[in-house]
Amino acid sequence: MILIPDDIRQRLLANGAAERETDHVPVVKLFDPTGAATWLITEMMPDGDSLFGLCDLGFGCPELGYVSLAELESVKGPLRLGIERDLHFAARFPLSVYAEAARIAGRITESERMLSQAAAALRIRNPELPPDGAGPTRR
């Protein structure tokens, strides 16, 4: 299986070229069919190998970071199966919501309930800050 076909590659490269602080919606979900490892990828760097997203190796501590496409393509599990692309994955939230839900669950999850709770928690914990000078000052 081709992990990153041309149409997905173009979207990932466009996201990688966008402003760095953009909270992209995951474009592709990759997974190990014989294990717990899962990746939700939002961006590809211009080198065509470095992917950014939410990485979960199955140890209970998913994290945001980079992974090498070449390394993922070279992985062969105990049954000689490689990493696969979830053909039915359709992201509904930006990466920050998946990351918050994964932090709570200890793994990447697609649970509607958990993702909705994570989205609500992020809105509560990240209120819009008033413009400089508009808030109260401390003395």
Side-chain angles (χ1 to χ4, degrees):
M1 168 184 274
I2 297 173
L3 289 182
I4 309 291
D6 288 339
D7 60 327
I8 292 175
R9 177 180 298 273
Q10 293 308 314
R11 289 174 41 206
L12 291 171
L13 285 167
N15 285 353
E19 188 176 319
R20 286 285 170 225
E21 297 301 316
T22 303
D23 189 11
H24 295 289
V25 171
V27 175
V28 64
K29 176 184 175 184
L30 306 174
F31 66 96
D32 178 353
T34 63
T38 306
W39 298 265
L40 295 182
I41 305 298
T42 59
E43 303 165 42
M44 178 182 279
M45 299 303 106
D47 65 11
D49 182 59
S50 301
L51 304 172
F52 179 79
L54 182 59
C55 306
D56 180 0
L57 298 180
F59 300 124
C61 51
E63 61 186 18
L64 294 172
Y66 290 89
V67 63
S68 164
L69 177 59
E71 284 186 30
L72 290 177
E73 290 174 330
S74 72
V75 170
K76 296 292 180 227
L79 301 175
R80 304 294 300 153
L81 295 174
I83 302 303
E84 295 187 15
R85 177 173 28 96
D86 184 340
L87 301 175
H88 304 287
F89 176 73
R92 294 188 37 252
F93 296 94
L95 189 61
S96 61
V97 173
Y98 286 94
E100 177 65 9
R103 184 191 66 75
I104 294 166
R107 61 182 174 75
I108 291 177
T109 180
E110 293 180 67
S111 160
E112 290 293 322
R113 183 181 57 81
M114 293 199 73
L115 290 169
S116 294
Q117 287 175 349
L122 288 173
R123 282 192 291 271
I124 292 168
R125 275 195 279 140
N126 296 321
E128 287 188 16
L129 298 174
D132 288 342
T137 58
R138 289 190 172 171
R139 294 181 193 248

